[in-house]
Amino acid sequence: MLRLADVDGDGRGDIVLRNADGMVKVWLMNGTTIKADVDLGTADRTWSYFASGDFDGHGMTDIVWKKADATLVVWLNATFNGALSAPTVIDNAGQAPQGAIPVEL
C-alpha cells in the first residue's frame, strides 16, 4: 500500500507505506528528498486502508483502517518535540456501512 498525504503538518506531501509484515512507515518529505523515515506502528495484515484526513483538526493527516468484520480503527497522528510520534489509536471507531468501498482520490 502506498498513500500520499501531509502527515506531519508542514504543508508538504509525505509518503505512507505498509510493508508485508504490516509495519506502517512514513517518509516525511522535503520536496523530492526524504527528511525522515518514521515507523508509525503495525497495522494487522488483515486490515485494509479505508480513509485518511485530518479528523481531529490538528493539521496532520490521520488514517482509518477497516478490520475484516468492518470495524474501523482510527490512527490520529501527532508530533512530540517537533518529531512525528506514535499515533493515538481509537480501536473501535464504529462500523463501515455494508458494502462501503473507499473512493480513491
Side-chain angles (χ1 to χ4, degrees):
M1 176 188 78
L2 173 69
R3 298 280 180 223
L4 304 174
D6 181 10
V7 178
D8 62 353
D10 67 355
R12 296 176 184 257
D14 303 307
I15 300 172
V16 180
L17 311 108
R18 181 169 63 166
N19 68 23
D21 295 332
M23 176 57 70
V24 178
K25 299 178 116 353
V26 176
W27 288 348
L28 300 176
M29 303 299 290
N30 184 8
T32 59
T33 304
I34 299 171
K35 67 180 180 181
D37 180 345
V38 181
D39 291 339
L40 285 184
T42 302
D44 189 294
R45 291 178 58 206
T46 64
W47 298 0
S48 59
Y49 168 84
F50 190 72
S52 57
D54 182 8
F55 301 117
D56 56 2
H58 62 349
M60 297 180 291
T61 300
D62 306 306
I63 302 169
V64 180
W65 302 100
K66 184 175 85 168
K67 295 180 180 182
D69 67 357
T71 299
L72 301 176
V73 178
V74 177
W75 285 12
L76 300 174
N77 290 311
T79 57
F80 181 73
N81 290 332
L84 192 62
S85 62
T88 299
V89 176
I90 302 170
D91 192 45
N92 185 353
Q95 293 288 118
Q98 180 85 14
I101 299 170
V103 176
E104 295 292 329
L105 300 176

